Amino acid sequence: MSLGYAEKLSYREDVGTVGMPEIFETPELVQNKIEELAAMVQKSKHLVVFTGAGISTSSGIPDFRGPMGVWTLQNVDSLHLRSGFPREKLAELHGNSFKEICPCCKTEYLRDFEIETIGLKDTPRRCSDKNCGARLKDTVLDWDDALPPEEMNLATEHCRSADLVLCLGTSLQITPACNMPLMSIKNGGRVAIVNLQATPKDKKASLVIHGLVDKVIAGVMSKLSLRIPPYIRTDFVQLTLRHSLKKKCVRWTLRVTSIHGLRAPLPFLQSVKVSFPERPDLKSVVLKEQPFSLQRETSMNKPFFMLLTLNFSDGCSCLSSSIGWPVDFQKRKDSFVRDRALVLRELYSAAQRESCIGQQEILERENLPRAETSIHGIVTNIVRYDTEDEKLAPPKNDLMNHSRSNPAKRHVEGTDCHSSLPKKLKYFLKDKKLNC
């Protein structure tokens, strides 16, 4: 029997635990518990993972309950979906600040920028379905919003069926979500908790590990002989070149925009340099403000080659990538749409094989009489997690550093990857909430 949804479900935060001391068990004790946890996972036939803000700290996102936590920073960070985790195996109980949803047809839109609103409010965009067109809404719950029944029902079913619920980086205090892991115990299942702070559910857990989540899970993966694949990130950009005739000249406008619309930001781009290597008479320019746009007039009968250098933001692990664009206003190019999944797999394989980033491929092109538009996929980051010689001792000063300088070993080489999932993992619950 699932939770009752006839009445409004809400959640609250027990703010009395803010600033609770973090507990670091000895490396020897943590190692013994890692072996115990690995054995539990190995024997499990229905595993559910219940995650909180603590899994984000290794990525440089502050934990709002930690000693350096900031209540105003968001923890609904979309890391799960960004990693390539299947949507159908994920319950985002408290929302996703990078996701919009159509209230009519229920289509979800995952963005590469944070949505402007919270609290299930209208956003500036509409559903792209021609038969719908409804105004989209954000998916992040405010303090008094009800938990989404669609997410709760399936999550409840899996928790009740689970023989093991693994709680990672969560204080287990936001109700009613915090009680879901205990549903497995009523049906003979067990609960394991990995968190730096004590939780109200510790006494009911079969195993509690006080340690850094990423290091503990890396140890478990090693014990199970499971490889942690590199994280390879791919971002998208849309290039548009519109032109109009003016006697023997062509007046044209170049735009570098998001695939989500002209008003949507491109957070991974800092600037765009436009140069003309074969035309010294055409001056180069650096576009520093979004939306990136350039207007010029050139001769109708003189084709040219335009080089776009995309300078990445600090969050990317390489400086730039370049796109060449041959321009001839007297000739029309073919329009096409490539298999996006296939192209992305090729980009992923190339980045992994070459151990570098910056690769880009065109996904589609539309050529109209007065405009040409193309969409490109670009590898912007690759991070490898090295578990060799991994030490479990707690860091001295910086518990919440960025992934490049985090105590856990990471080799940053360039983008964003999609990993395969262990077959045992039946469901994944994301217990995250906007902290405001």
Side-chain angles (χ1 to χ4, degrees), residues 97-108:
S97 63
F98 290 81
K99 188 173 70 178
E100 297 172 286
I101 189 170
C102 176
C104 296
C105 67
K106 304 303 180 183
T107 301
E108 295 181 344

Side-chain angles (χ1 to χ4, degrees), residues 3-15:
L3 292 175
Y5 292 107
E7 55 184 356
K8 181 177 179 181
L9 292 178
S10 63
Y11 60 88
R12 61 182 177 82
E13 179 63 46
D14 181 1
V15 299

Side-chain angles (χ1 to χ4, degrees), residues 65-255:
R65 279 185 204 85
M68 297 174 62
V70 181
W71 281 88
T72 56
L73 293 183
Q74 295 172 316
N75 286 296
V76 279
D77 47 44
S78 194
L79 290 183
H80 300 74
L81 292 178
R82 189 67 169 165
S83 73
F85 196 92
R87 176 65 181 95
E88 66 273 12
K89 289 183 176 289
L90 176 67
E92 295 187 299
L93 300 180
H94 296 129
N96 184 332
S97 63
F98 290 81
K99 188 173 70 178
E100 297 172 286
I101 189 170
C102 176
C104 296
C105 67
K106 304 303 180 183
T107 301
E108 295 181 344
Y109 296 85
L110 188 64
R111 308 302 192 185
D112 56 8
F113 59 91
E114 288 190 273
I115 308 305
E116 301 89 333
T117 63
I118 65 167
L120 312 180
K121 298 182 180 67
D122 289 344
T123 73
R125 289 160 292 278
R126 293 186 176 274
C127 180
S128 60
D129 188 332
K130 295 180 179 179
N131 297 322
C132 182
R135 178 66 63 86
L136 300 180
K137 291 183 179 293
D138 71 78
T139 61
V140 177
L141 304 188
D142 209 341
W143 291 102
D144 296 322
D145 290 323
L147 293 179
E150 298 85 357
E151 307 288 335
M152 285 288 289
N153 287 339
L154 193 56
T156 299
E157 176 186 337
H158 277 279
C159 282
R160 286 178 171 166
S161 303
D163 55 13
L164 175 62
V165 177
L166 177 56
C167 303
L168 303 177
T170 170
S171 67
L172 292 171
Q173 294 185 87
I174 303 176
T175 58
C178 68
N179 296 316
M180 298 183 70
L182 301 184
M183 294 177 181
S184 64
I185 297 179
K186 295 181 180 179
N187 294 313
R190 295 193 290 176
V191 172
I193 300 174
V194 182
N195 197 53
L196 283 176
Q197 295 175 325
T199 81
K201 314 299 183 186
D202 287 357
K203 293 182 180 180
K204 296 185 179 181
S206 299
L207 178 65
V208 177
I209 305 177
H210 293 299
L212 295 171
V213 171
D214 60 337
K215 290 188 176 183
V216 171
I217 296 304
V220 171
M221 294 283 283
S222 177
K223 290 296 178 182
L224 297 177
S225 300
L226 295 174
R227 173 179 170 269
I228 299 177
Y231 174 73
I232 299 177
R233 170 175 165 175
T234 303
D235 283 293
F236 304 94
V237 66
Q238 180 169 298
L239 309 179
T240 303
L241 187 66
R242 299 183 181 277
H243 70 276
S244 60
L245 302 180
K246 186 181 178 181
K247 296 183 178 180
K248 293 184 179 180
C249 294
V250 178
R251 177 176 293 175
W252 52 267
T253 301
L254 168 70
R255 286 195 177 96

Side-chain angles (χ1 to χ4, degrees), residues 248-250 279 297-304 329:
K248 293 184 179 180
C249 294
V250 178
R279 293 284 300 273
E297 282 190 8
T298 56
S299 172
M300 177 68 176
N301 55 13
K302 291 187 67 174
F304 57 89
F329 294 110

